[in-house]
Every structure is written in C-alpha cells, then in structure tokens.
C-alpha cells in the first residue's frame, strides 16, 4: 500500500491526493503538521530528506516532488491521465511544467501574502502579492485559450495537467482571487468540482480535519 | 527531422542540446537572438506562443519547456537516459524536478546578477544574488550526498537528471561560482565535460557563435 504524506494547506500535496482518488489508488494518508514543524522531524526526513510535503512511500521506495508523485501514481495505475504515446505524454509534461512554474508559483505568492502571512502574524508583502497577480494575469490566458477550444488542457480527455491546474487554483476563493476574466478556466474548475475524484478528495480532507 | 530553437546563453536550452547529442538525435538548430527580441517575433511565437527558448518542432508537433523537450527526445530515441521502469523513471523525474527548481532557479538568479545585468547595463541586485547563493549552499548538499556514494545522480548510470545538472551549472566559472565545498559534484561535472556528447555540444555552440 502507498503512503502519501500531505498537508491540507499544500496545493502540491492536494495534487497528489486528487491523482490518487482519480486513479482509484488505495493509499494511507499521513498528515504532516507543518505548524508543529513535523516536516523537520527525523521520522519524516527519513521519507523525504528535503523536509517538504508531499512525499510518497511505497514499501522501501520513497519519492518527493509533487509532479513526480503524480506521474508515479498514474503510471502504477496504468491510467490514461498520463498517456503512454510519446507525443501525448509530451503535451501533458509541457502543460504540467507550465502550470507548476507559471500558475502555481505566482498563485502561491498571492496565497502566502493573503492567507499564510496573516496566519503567522506576519505583515503581507504587498509587492510580492501584486507580482503574483500580474504573473497570473499574464499566464492564465494561455490556459484560457486552450479551454475555450477544448474540454481539458491537453484535449478532450482529462490528464494530470488538469488535475495539477485544479489543485493549484483550489483555494482561489479563500484568497479572493478574481478569475472573472477567465470563464473557460473557471468553467472547467467547476466541472471538476462535480467529479467523483474531486468530491472524494475533499470528503477525505474534511474527515482528516475533523479527526 | 527535429528542429531545436535555442540560445547559447540559456542553460535550459543547453540541456536540450546536450540531450540531443547524448542520444545521437539528428536535429536542425535555430539560434533565437534574444537581444534582438526574436523570441517575440511571429515566426517564433508560431512555434512557442510563450515566447521562450528552448522550443522544439517535429513536423507539425511543437513543444516548449526544457525538461519536457529532454523527455521527448530521450523517449523518441528509446534512450536509457529516461528509463521505462516505473521506479527508475520516478527517480529521474524527482531529481529533474529538484535540479530545475532548487539548483537551476537559484543559479539563474546569480547568473542574472553577475552576467546578464552588466551586459544590459543594469545594476546587479545584490540581495537576489546573495539569496541565490544561499539557496545553492542549502540545496547542493543533496546532490553532493548522492554523488559521494555513486557515479551519477540516480545511480551508476547517466540519466536526464545528470544532463540537467551539467547544463544548469555549466556557466559556473563565468559567474565565479565557488563550488569548492562540493568536490563530488564538481568531479562529476568534470567527468561529463570529457564525454563525447558534452564536447560535441560545445563544438556545435562554438561553430554557431563563429558563423
């Protein structure tokens, strides 16, 4: 059985959970308490020496880096979310790279300023927030353009690129991110929210929070 | 025939060239003149709408994002640089992600401050340089630890992760980066510099510069 090490505030961790549920992969889930610095404890460093969530353990085999874990889960499940055709796989790779670097990273800067800084009693860095917002306004049109023409980022089939996008923008309401200029993107996100894998993931997260 | 769109100052582009030479992939190479803003011209935007090098064209098929292009070239060549075994591939994915985010990105901040800013007549951002140097000092030990124990990042066989590392740190002398604390890493880089694929890549780059 796989074990996923996650935290409910981490969008990279959310991407691995959504991948597990969408591939119907059975897994144990260990929530790493980042506020208690559990990611720096020896137990967790034995799984991921880099001290970051998400991480994965499969027997003696350990992995870190969210997109790596997503690919591993999909390959192991022989899922079409990560195609075996060379060109199809390359398109998924390309959009995963684009989303990780050019959507998730600026989103995380806005999220840090608007959500985590207040949590930690820090003054938000307004320049970093604005820089993140500007990058999102510049980069989201590339996604919007795809989703205006087709159902999902890489075509008419759901792939890991979509799951990464869904995860990366998931706390958009909590950080008051205005995506009204991107109706095709928000439409896709809303459709995804109605899926079994999205609902199962969030039911799982809610259960954890209540535990 | 593949066409690779590169620029000699881009370490992501260098990674794709090294991959092409190490897999003995034949390709045409178009150098995109970034100083003349050729990456913003319609001809290039038709290949990569994101306006960045590297990019790849294979018939009607186009790709962007350096690690995506590296994977595509290796898969197409059926090269062991990107293994087909699920766990072996995952290790390569993990270290490519680590090197791209945690080595190449901070290196690029130092490179921008010490090499490109002076070229463009800009004042170097010393805080950004120092931040990049600090991140490299924090992150390179994870690579050093691997290379103390084994020949290459993922084991005793060369993979895309090594090629990405070689490319990402290639202009280290030009930016006066002190890597003396990481003898196993610099040893691996020096061994790579003696390889046919490294020499062929740099001979190709020199030829381009002279043309």
């Amino acid at each position: 059985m796989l074990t996923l090490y996650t935290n409910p505030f981490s969008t990279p961790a959310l991407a691995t959970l959504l991948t597990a549920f969408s591939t119907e992969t059975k897994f144990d889930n260990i929530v790493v308490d980042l506020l208690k610095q559990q990611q720096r404890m020896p137990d967790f460093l034995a799984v991921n020496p880099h001290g970051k969530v998400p991480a994965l353990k499969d027997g003696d085999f350990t992995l870190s880096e969210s997109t790596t874990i997503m690919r591993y889960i999909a390959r192991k499940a022989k899922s079409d979310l990560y195609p075996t055709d060379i060109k199809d796989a390359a398109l998924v790779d390309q959009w995963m790279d684009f989303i990780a670097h050019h959507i998730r990273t600026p989103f995380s800067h806005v999220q840090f300023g608007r959500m985590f800084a207040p949590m930690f009693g820090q003054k938000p860095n307004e320049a970093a927030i604005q820089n993140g917002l500007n990058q999102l306004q510049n980069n989201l049109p590339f996604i919007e353009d795809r989703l205006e023409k087709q159902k999902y980022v890489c075509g008419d089939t759901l792939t890991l690129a979509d799951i990464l996008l869904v995860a990366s923008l998931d706390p958009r309401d909590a950080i008051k991110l205005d995506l009204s200029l991107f109706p095709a993107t928000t439409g896709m996100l809303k459709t995804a929210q109605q899926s079994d894998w999205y609902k199962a993931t969030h039911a799982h997260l809610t259960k954890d929070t209540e535990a």
Side-chain angles (χ1 to χ4, degrees), chain A:
Chain A
M1 176 99 87
L2 296 185
T3 305
L4 279 176
Y5 297 78
T6 65
N7 180 281
F9 287 111
S10 159
T11 60
L14 177 61
T16 65
L17 289 170
L18 290 168
T19 304
F21 277 105
S22 60
T23 54
E24 300 183 18
T25 296
K26 288 189 182 164
F27 64 98
D28 287 325
N29 188 198
I30 294 183
V31 176
V32 180
D33 190 333
L34 304 178
L35 291 176
K36 289 187 183 158
Q37 295 276 308
Q38 278 181 350
Q39 76 277 21
R40 296 271 155 216
M41 306 285 182
D43 279 4
F44 183 68
L45 290 175
V47 177
N48 181 9
H50 306 147
K52 288 179 183 167
V53 294
L56 171 145
K57 201 165 186 304
D58 184 6
D60 289 341
F61 185 68
T62 58
L63 275 183
S64 59
E65 304 291 341
S66 62
T67 53
T68 292
I69 293 171
M70 294 172 75
R71 285 183 177 98
Y72 180 75
I73 293 171
R75 279 173 171 141
K76 192 164 165 144
K78 300 190 195 303
S79 164
D80 292 338
L81 289 174
Y82 193 49
T84 50
D85 174 81
I86 293 178
K87 286 184 181 169
D88 291 345
L91 271 188
V92 176
D93 286 340
Q94 174 187 292
W95 288 102
M96 287 179 85
D97 279 348
F98 181 82
I99 292 163
H101 297 178
H102 304 301
I103 304 290
R104 185 170 72 184
T105 299
F107 184 97
S108 73
H109 294 159
V110 182
Q111 187 181 19
F112 191 87
R114 290 188 176 172
M115 184 189 270
F116 299 143
M119 258 184 188
F120 301 148
Q122 293 175 13
K123 192 161 176 271
N125 180 336
E126 294 298 339
I129 293 173
Q130 193 54 51
N131 185 31
L133 291 172
N134 294 345
Q135 283 190 54
L136 286 170
Q137 293 297 319
N138 290 337
N139 299 335
L140 277 168
F142 291 106
I143 299 290
E144 181 73 4
D145 181 57
R146 310 280 296 177
L147 295 172
E148 276 172 357
K149 295 174 194 156
Q150 58 198 29
K151 199 166 166 192
Y152 296 111
V153 172
C154 296
D156 287 320
T157 312
L158 185 80
T159 70
L160 292 183
D162 303 293
I163 293 187
L164 187 60
L165 184 69
V166 168
S168 300
L169 296 174
D170 204 52
R172 62 193 176 279
D173 292 339
I175 67 166
K176 298 184 171 42
L177 183 67
D178 178 9
L179 294 181
S180 58
L181 287 174
F182 309 104
T185 303
T186 53
M188 188 280 247
L189 297 174
K190 278 180 191 158
T191 304
Q193 287 174 318
Q194 299 307 314
S195 69
D196 290 344
W197 47 270
Y198 182 94
K199 287 180 182 171
T201 304
H202 278 272
H204 171 84
L205 287 170
T206 310
K207 186 194 70 187
D208 265 358
T209 313
E210 287 171 352

